[in-house]
Amino acid sequence: MPRFDRLTPETAVGASRELLGELVERHGTVGDMVSTMAHSPAVLGGYLQLSRAMRRAKIDRRTSELISIAVQAQQGCGMCLASHVEAARSLDVPEEKIRLAHDGTSSDAALAAIIRLGLQVYREPASITDDQVDELRAFGYSDRAIADVVGVVSLNVITGAFNLVAGLTPG
């Protein structure tokens, strides 16, 4: 059960009112997470900025969704996990790849390595080694794509943690 009320451009105040108003004007509606994030203009603004910035990531969308599935399976946000599974399916990612990502791996060595990096960034970034980064480069990942994994994980942390604190669930 949600712990916070959803806000609208009419019920939000200050910067949140402006942010929600712009979003509703552009998209017609906003989801539960965004309308609830509006309780904190700092959190909502930060989420929106990071989300926009990650659209310029060099890591491809299918890989990003698989990393997100792996991270959300660990973090425990059912709402985010369902959203990323749905997004992966919309990109025609095979069910087996989705299942393996949920388990933190892949049958493709390069994809398994980048998913493993995402999970390490989430759990224990200090454990990442030079050899691991060299392996990712050998698989063809650029330094920018490797760095983008940090952004993908960060976006998942903010959305998943917020949804869990706010009591938002799939529905």
Side-chain angles (χ1 to χ4, degrees):
M1 173 168 224
R3 295 183 180 110
F4 305 145
D5 292 332
R6 290 183 62 184
L7 297 178
T8 66
E10 295 74 37
T11 59
V13 296
S16 289
R17 177 178 289 211
E18 287 179 40
L19 288 168
L20 280 178
E22 290 170 15
L23 290 168
V24 168
E25 189 175 303
R26 265 188 288 165
H27 305 287
T29 185
V30 295
D32 289 343
M33 182 188 73
V34 169
S35 65
T36 306
M37 267 186 186
H39 283 280
S40 169
V43 172
L44 178 58
Y47 160 72
L48 292 172
Q49 287 178 5
L50 182 56
S51 183
R52 280 186 210 116
M54 290 311 299
R55 289 187 199 131
R56 296 185 303 273
K58 273 300 192 192
I59 196 159
D60 70 89
R61 178 94 191 280
R62 290 168 60 117
T63 301
S64 176
E65 293 300 339
L66 293 171
I67 292 167
S68 296
I69 289 167
V71 169
Q72 291 302 340
Q74 290 293 304
Q75 187 165 322
C77 178
M79 192 163 148
C80 291
L81 182 59
S83 174
H84 290 294
V85 167
E86 181 181 321
R89 287 178 178 146
S90 76
L91 296 167
D92 296 322
V93 175
E95 290 298 319
E96 179 65 9
K97 279 193 175 195
I98 293 170
R99 186 188 66 71
L100 288 171
H102 185 278
D103 294 339
T105 192
S106 174
S107 58
D108 174 88
L111 187 55
I114 203 85
I115 289 171
R116 186 168 49 253
L117 174 70
L119 287 172
Q120 278 183 267
V121 168
Y122 172 68
R123 288 189 206 135
E124 196 176 10
S127 70
I128 296 165
T129 66
D130 292 343
D131 288 342
Q132 187 175 1
V133 172
D134 289 342
E135 175 189 37
L136 289 163
R137 288 179 181 135
F139 281 127
Y141 292 107
S142 67
D143 288 355
R144 181 174 173 182
I146 295 167
D148 282 342
V149 171
V150 176
V152 169
V153 172
S154 297
L155 195 53
N156 275 280
V157 168
I158 192 170
T159 58
F162 182 83
N163 288 336
L164 291 167
V165 169
L168 300 177
T169 58

